[in-house]
Amino acid sequence: MILLVGGRLGLVFFLHMSLHMAQRFCYLSSVKTISKGDHMQGERKEVQPEYLYRQMVRARRFEEALASLWRRGLISGELHLGTGEEAIAAGFAAHLEDGDAIALDHRSTPPLVCRGLPLEPIILELIGSEKGLCSGWGGHMHLFSRDFLAASSGIVGSSAPLALGFALANKHLRQGKVAVCFFGEGAMNQGMVLESLNLARVWKLPVIFVCKDNRWAITTRSKNVTAGCLTKRARAYDMPAWKVNGLRVDDVCKTAKRAIERAREGRGPSFVLARCSRIDGHFLGDPLFRIFEEPLEQVKTITPPLIRSAIAKPGAPSGARARALFCISKAIALAGADKLKNFKDPLFISKNLILEEKRLEIEREVFEEIEKAVRTSLEVAGLKR
Amino acid sequence: MRVSFATAIEKAIEHAMAEDERIIIFGEDVHLLRNNLYARFGPERIIPAPISESAFLGAAVGVAMAGLKPIVEIMLVDFIAVAFDALLNQASKVKAFSGGKWNVPVVIRCSCGGGYGDAGQHEQCLWGLISSVPGISVVVPSNPPDAAGLMLSALNAEDPVVYLEHKLLSEYWLDYLGAGGRKNVAFDIPESGASGEIEIPPKNVAIGKASFLREGSDITFISIGVSVHRCLEASKALEREDASSCVLDLRTATPLDKESILEASRTGRVVVVDEDYLSFGLSGEIAAVLSESGYRGAFTRVGNTGVIPYARHLEDRALPSVDSIYEAAKKILGT
Ligand SMILES: Cc1ncc(C[n+]2csc(CCOP(=O)(O)OP(=O)(O)O)c2C)c(N)n1
Ligand SMILES: [Mg+2]
């Protein structure tokens, strides 16, 4: 009897070990195929703080460069910067490798930069050049890179089902490869995201849902329109859900590793709620933000009709009107807050992860890298610097 | 009084809400997008919603069936895709399925249209797609008095109305999504569409009634929304070459004002200009109306043949322009 049980255990152990070794082997052979330049890191290696810091600075300087191109009128439409989300982008991208897919929302550039995409094609795309990443057709909300299995969309929530598809394809075609989707906390109320959580679980897909919680959806404070707790919501779909401080790149990196390894091993989906900030408003030129930045000019146009309406008859009782006015002014007052506070800036927070000397060196190198990318792109597009 | 396009809409809603307490507004960010109405009518009637279009557009159908008059806002008409069931299978069906005994007086307000470099997920028109569903009216005003008048009619309507507000005409939309406060970006905004005279209270404009903006005998432009203004521009250029043009502003995509279309077609040369998709849409519908009525004259159309690209210069080529309209007209005039 004991022998029998022992034999069975032995068999199970043997099977387990051989599976494990097979996975190891798969992993090793995949590492050899990593070819996308020096931004890639093998997952089993410890990710160095210098590496993470560099990626964050790259993402930040890139966003700043885009902002200045936007201000020059060279980028059209809405430009949603991902400033405040760099730690999330860097922390997750550090664990991704060839064959892994990413599905992105309207703040797509930091993950793309951290993932190691060449910068010039992105810049060229955003300035509307036919030499851009998508030949000038996509623009900043619709960036696609087939090589990196990276796709973005401006429809809130759509990154979740897309990632399911990437994950299912990976399950068939690229064993051990995963899909990561990024979306905001506002998107957590979009039906297709909730349907995706369920589907990911019942199909046991290698997908990681990364919810970037900056507490805003345009001018709406998400807590006012969101019931319950988001990690509990995800756990209700029977998957692990972790809350991390998305401003701390080391924390994100650790959780990302856990979630991604889990998916690689075929143990199914997980959910990460990462608190972050929205440093530059919803998009550049955000009207709430402008009230904050140039109060006199904005107040002149907004206040008179607002006051006229607030006292016009007939209408709601005065208590209700007061509540409405309070809500409007609160949104305005809070909109700029993330910009003012250093402790909401992931770069500032991460400064002490590495030595000052090294940090300055990284910052200098990144500054040059981004400047060169912008310079080259403008030259290619035939524009002045 | 002289007002902007957006103010005209607001004046109409303000007037209607003061008269009829059953009117409520809900949608994303309405507390700030409609801050003046919010300050006057309060949080009970102007209700901010989460990003859950399928839930709140679906809810709007129920709200309307049960006695209120909702204006439900889908920020950009492109986003209606995630909530299309509410329109395609619910709002549009109730009246017929109930044997005419129950109706859905809902107004669905969305911004639409391009011309500011935001690409094809944010710049579509979709009045053709929506109009293809029986049981819904779709209005597309091209100037402030029509914007106010059609909003009043939509709020008086018994059945679902999709109210489309073109972003090139609505200064706040264009400022949010296109300019962002920048002075160094340019948009081709039609003056006579972006501001104009309205009466207070605004005058009704009937749904389903087109308007002749210009009488002429050589060639007819039939159009809707911003393209109407492009047609007017093109007709000025043609006038310099002694061709006189008739310009018909449909104002309503469905129900189509067939009578006015036929009347306008008497020049024997019809150019339909439609910012929406060329295939399976409004321009083809007008061709069918003409053909079924025995029209034997010349016909051509200018429209959008594919996905709207991001880059401004590519976008300019994709959307109807004064140049492309002029070219089409010259061809059909044989000059
Ligand atoms: C289906 C859909 N509805 C609405 C919008 C308009 N919109 C763009 S971004 C946004 C807010 C998204 O909030 P969140 O998901 O928290 O992302 P954040 O902008 O805060 O990063 C909204 C409502 C959209 N693009 N798509
Ligand atoms: Mg958010």
Side-chain angles (χ1 to χ4, degrees):
Chain A
M1 182 65 194
I2 287 169
L3 258 179
L4 202 64
V5 173
R8 285 222 181 130
L9 275 177
L11 189 66
V12 169
F13 184 65
F14 173 76
L15 280 175
H16 179 81
M17 277 313 287
S18 33
L19 250 173
H20 189 70
M21 279 169 60
Q23 273 171 358
R24 270 314 256 221
F25 181 74
C26 273
Y27 164 69
L28 284 174
S29 53
S30 76
V31 166
K32 265 187 257 145
T33 65
I34 288 180
S35 58
K36 293 272 154 44
D38 51 12
H39 306 305
M40 205 65 68
Q41 293 245 332
E43 55 172 323
R44 303 293 145 122
K45 258 192 293 169
E46 258 324 296
V47 180
Q48 298 302 319
E50 284 84 12
Y51 175 81
L52 292 171
Y53 188 72
R54 180 185 296 273
Q55 294 302 355
M56 286 207 295
V57 180
R58 291 179 73 242
R60 171 66 56 86
R61 295 289 165 266
F62 192 73
E63 297 300 84
E64 286 170 355
L66 296 184
S68 90
L69 294 170
W70 183 88
R71 286 196 190 93
R72 284 178 60 186
L74 295 177
I75 294 177
S76 70
E78 315 150 62
L79 181 57
H80 311 87
L81 294 186
T83 46
E85 301 185 353
E86 292 90 349
I88 303 174
F92 273 89
H95 300 285
L96 297 178
E97 55 190 44
D98 254 12
D100 290 336
I102 45 176
L104 306 165
D105 67 359
H106 51 290
R107 302 188 199 279
S108 63
T109 34
L112 293 176
V113 169
C114 294
R115 187 74 183 86
L117 261 78
L119 303 181
E120 289 84 355
I122 304 180
I123 299 172
L124 281 163
E125 181 63 27
L126 268 60
I127 60 177
S129 163
E130 289 173 48
K131 292 172 188 134
L133 181 66
C134 306
S135 308
W137 275 74
H140 78 276
M141 274 189 282
H142 324 98
L143 292 168
F144 290 84
S145 167
R146 199 171 182 163
D147 292 346
F148 285 84
L149 281 174
S152 53
S153 166
I155 301 300
V156 169
S158 58
S159 61
L162 189 67
L164 295 189
F166 286 160
L168 182 59
N170 273 357
K171 216 170 152 177
H172 283 264
L173 302 174
R174 290 173 283 264
Q175 267 284 314
K177 305 298 180 185
V178 304
V180 180
C181 58
F182 295 90
F183 50 82
E185 84 298 333
M188 273 299 278
N189 293 321
Q190 183 67 284
M192 62 178 131
V193 174
L194 301 172
E195 291 174 27
S196 298
L197 289 169
N198 179 59
L199 199 53
R201 179 62 189 89
V202 296
W203 286 355
K204 218 172 172 207
L205 295 173
V207 60
I208 299 97
F209 298 95
V210 184
C211 180
K212 305 165 293 160
D213 179 9
N214 60 12
R215 286 163 298 163
W216 286 97
I218 311 190
T219 69
T220 301
R221 298 292 281 171
S222 288
K223 69 166 193 256
N224 296 340
V225 293
T226 306
C229 151
L230 294 184
T231 43
K232 273 194 199 151
R233 204 187 271 188
R235 276 185 212 121
Y237 291 97
D238 191 25
M239 67 175 78
W242 296 289
K243 209 177 246 176
V244 296
N245 182 349
L247 297 171
R248 290 204 59 112
V249 71
D250 43 348
D251 285 4
V252 176
C253 187
K254 251 184 255 157
T255 308
K257 180 169 188 234
R258 212 165 145 193
I260 291 172
E261 274 181 6
R262 194 173 181 281
R264 280 201 205 294
E265 288 160 9
R267 289 159 61 214
S270 55
F271 178 89
V272 178
L273 181 67
R275 238 321 161 69
C276 58
S277 51
R278 195 178 79 173
I279 295 180
D280 289 291
H282 177 66
F283 41 40
L284 289 179
D286 182 338
L288 275 192
F289 215 66
R290 262 191 270 157
I291 299 180
F292 186 77
E293 282 183 329
E294 32 183 79
L296 282 180
E297 200 173 313
Q298 293 297 317
V299 166
K300 252 192 299 186
T301 53
I302 292 164
T303 321
L306 191 63
I307 301 300
R308 261 200 307 278
S309 304
I311 54 178
K313 292 233 153 68
S318 52
R321 297 189 195 214
R323 260 185 292 139
L325 284 175
F326 178 70
C327 165
I328 294 171
S329 30
K330 192 169 164 195
I332 294 170
L334 289 172
D338 282 8
K339 184 142 196 119
L340 291 182
K341 298 180 182 147
N342 276 337
F343 64 83
K344 298 234 169 163
D345 183 342
L347 260 76
F348 185 84
I349 289 176
S350 309
K351 275 189 173 162
N352 52 8
L353 285 180
I354 54 178
L355 291 174
E356 164 119 353
E357 205 177 315
K358 187 69 192 161
R359 179 169 68 75
L360 294 174
E361 184 191 321
I362 289 174
E363 283 171 8
R364 211 168 31 243
E365 284 171 10
V366 169
F367 181 82
E368 274 165 27
E369 181 198 356
I370 305 293
E371 220 204 22
K372 180 158 169 270
V374 172
R375 199 179 334 121
T376 317
S377 306
L378 291 178
E379 265 165 34
V380 171
L383 290 163
K384 278 207 300 263
R385 274 182 71 186
Chain B
M1 89 198 254
R2 193 166 185 84
V3 294
S4 70
F5 188 86
T7 306
I9 303 173
E10 183 162 290
K11 290 284 173 209
I13 295 178
E14 196 178 23
H15 174 74
M17 284 186 82
E19 302 252 295
D20 185 349
E21 288 201 354
R22 291 172 308 156
I23 299 175
I24 62 169
I25 296 180
F26 53 90
E28 289 149 34
D29 298 292
V30 289
H31 54 300
L32 273 132
L33 277 174
R34 312 294 165 225
N35 59 354
N36 297 330
L37 297 172
Y38 188 54
R40 175 164 176 186
F41 298 105
E44 298 290 325
R45 292 178 69 190
I46 313 287
I47 315 168
I51 312 173
S52 310
E53 287 91 352
S54 57
F56 69 73
L57 189 54
V61 178
V63 164
M65 287 172 71
L68 290 178
K69 278 188 166 240
I71 303 178
V72 56
E73 301 212 12
I74 302 284
M75 241 175 220
L76 275 70
V77 71
D78 316 66
F79 310 156
I80 213 163
V82 306
F84 206 44
D85 177 68
L87 215 59
L88 176 66
N89 288 319
Q90 314 303 330
S92 63
K93 301 292 190 279
V94 172
K95 191 165 194 173
F97 281 171
S98 68
K101 296 188 183 75
W102 211 349
N103 57 313
V104 188
V106 58
V107 178
I108 301 163
R109 177 182 183 181
C110 324
S111 72
C112 76
Y116 61 97
D118 221 4
Q121 261 179 2
H122 289 73
E123 293 200 324
Q124 298 167 97
C125 295
L126 302 186
W127 49 67
L129 178 77
I130 299 169
S131 296
S132 74
V133 181
I136 305 170
S137 302
V138 179
V139 299
V140 192
S142 70
N143 56 55
D146 287 355
L150 283 168
M151 179 51 88
L152 285 183
S153 297
L155 286 168
N156 285 326
E158 294 201 331
D159 300 313
V161 179
V162 174
Y163 183 101
L164 297 176
E165 171 182 357
H166 201 293
K167 280 166 276 171
L168 274 197
L169 301 177
S170 260
E171 54 184 352
Y172 67 104
W173 277 126
L174 193 59
D175 180 45
Y176 293 178
L177 307 176
R182 292 176 293 177
K183 305 274 185 286
N184 52 4
V185 281
F187 309 103
D188 192 358
I189 304 167
E191 259 317 300
S192 53
S195 63
E197 290 288 333
I198 63 166
E199 289 173 35
I200 299 287
K203 273 226 312 257
N204 264 39
V205 171
I207 294 173
K209 190 84 201 81
S211 133
F212 282 88
L213 298 184
R214 200 183 155 113
E215 306 279 350
S217 53
D218 296 322
I219 187 166
T220 300
F221 294 105
I222 300 177
S223 189
I224 196 162
V226 159
S227 299
V228 163
H229 299 279
R230 310 286 185 243
C231 292
L232 286 170
E233 282 292 304
S235 63
K236 273 187 219 151
L238 291 168
E239 190 172 28
R240 287 193 283 275
E241 299 169 20
D242 288 330
S244 91
S245 335
C246 160
V247 177
L248 183 68
D249 178 357
L250 289 171
R251 303 196 288 195
T252 299
T254 187
L256 261 185
D257 183 353
K258 296 182 184 172
E259 223 170 275
S260 297
I261 292 174
L262 291 184
E263 192 185 329
S265 72
R266 285 199 201 122
T267 60
R269 295 184 194 92
V270 172
V271 185
V272 178
V273 181
D274 185 8
E275 187 185 328
D276 200 1
Y277 298 123
L278 190 71
S279 304
F280 299 90
L282 182 63
S283 59
E285 190 57 35
I286 292 170
V289 165
L290 289 171
S291 168
E292 283 164 1
S293 75
Y295 174 77
R296 294 287 170 267
F299 178 90
T300 191
R301 50 187 178 154
V302 179
N304 178 6
T305 54
V307 173
I308 306 166
Y310 161 77
R312 291 293 302 275
H313 68 286
L314 298 175
E315 180 194 32
D316 284 347
R317 268 182 246 156
L319 302 180
S321 64
V322 178
D323 285 347
S324 60
I325 297 166
Y326 176 80
E327 290 302 317
K330 295 291 279 181
K331 227 182 240 164
I332 209 174
L333 281 164
T335 52

